[in-house]
């Protein structure tokens, strides 16, 4: 098992965090990010509720996953924006640079 941190950004605030693998995440107001203290295993996974911009550290052997609402986003190293709100049907990802694999399913948070 892995220990997780939770970063909650208050209303009217923004925050930036550097994850254990070097990935940078900018979180918008009212967002929540759950991420491991240290990435282990074959994948790197984080859970998002709200809005965030990701600059993912490239690691072909350890794909990075964002689990956000009903969205699964898989990347190897790229920049993208995610908007995920459990109370909205307007959830999306915007690719800025690189490539992502996008799928939908059951909500995570």
């Amino acid at each position: 098992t892995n220990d997780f941190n939770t970063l909650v950004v208050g209303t009217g605030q923004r925050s930036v965090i550097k994850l254990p693998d070097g990935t940078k995440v900018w979180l918008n107001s009212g967002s929540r990010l759950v991420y491991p203290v240290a990435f282990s295993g074959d994948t790197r996974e984080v859970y998002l509720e709200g809005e965030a911009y990701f600059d993912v550290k490239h690691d072909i052997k350890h794909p990075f996953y964002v689990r956000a609402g009903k969205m699964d986003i898989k990347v190897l190293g790229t920049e993208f924006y995610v908007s995920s709100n459990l109370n909205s049907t307007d959830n999306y990802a915007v690719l800025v640079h690189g490539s992502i694999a996008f799928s939908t399913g059951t909500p995570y948070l």
Side-chain angles (χ1 to χ4, degrees):
T1 63
N2 203 346
D3 291 326
F4 287 84
N5 291 318
T6 300
L7 175 60
V8 178
V9 180
T11 303
Q13 304 292 312
R14 291 185 181 165
S15 184
V16 63
I17 186 168
K18 189 172 187 179
L19 299 179
D21 67 340
T23 293
K24 292 181 185 175
V25 184
W26 289 261
L27 292 151
N28 210 353
S29 174
S31 297
R32 178 171 70 131
L33 182 70
V34 178
Y35 62 96
V37 171
F39 290 108
S40 61
D42 295 334
T43 63
R44 302 171 287 163
E45 292 186 28
V46 299
Y47 301 86
L48 172 70
E49 182 179 330
E51 298 177 345
Y53 181 90
F54 290 84
D55 184 357
V56 177
K57 179 84 170 175
H58 182 75
D59 184 347
I60 197 161
K61 294 181 181 179
H62 301 94
F64 190 94
Y65 290 90
V66 177
R67 314 294 189 188
K70 293 183 178 182
M71 297 182 290
D72 272 337
I73 302 163
K74 175 185 175 183
V75 300
L76 297 175
T78 192
E79 294 180 40
F80 61 100
Y81 174 82
V82 177
S83 178
S84 171
N85 184 331
L86 294 178
N87 299 322
S88 174
T89 58
D90 295 330
N91 298 307
Y92 56 90
V94 176
L95 179 64
V96 175
H97 175 66
S99 63
I100 61 174
F102 183 92
S103 63
T104 61
T106 305
Y108 288 97
L109 293 175

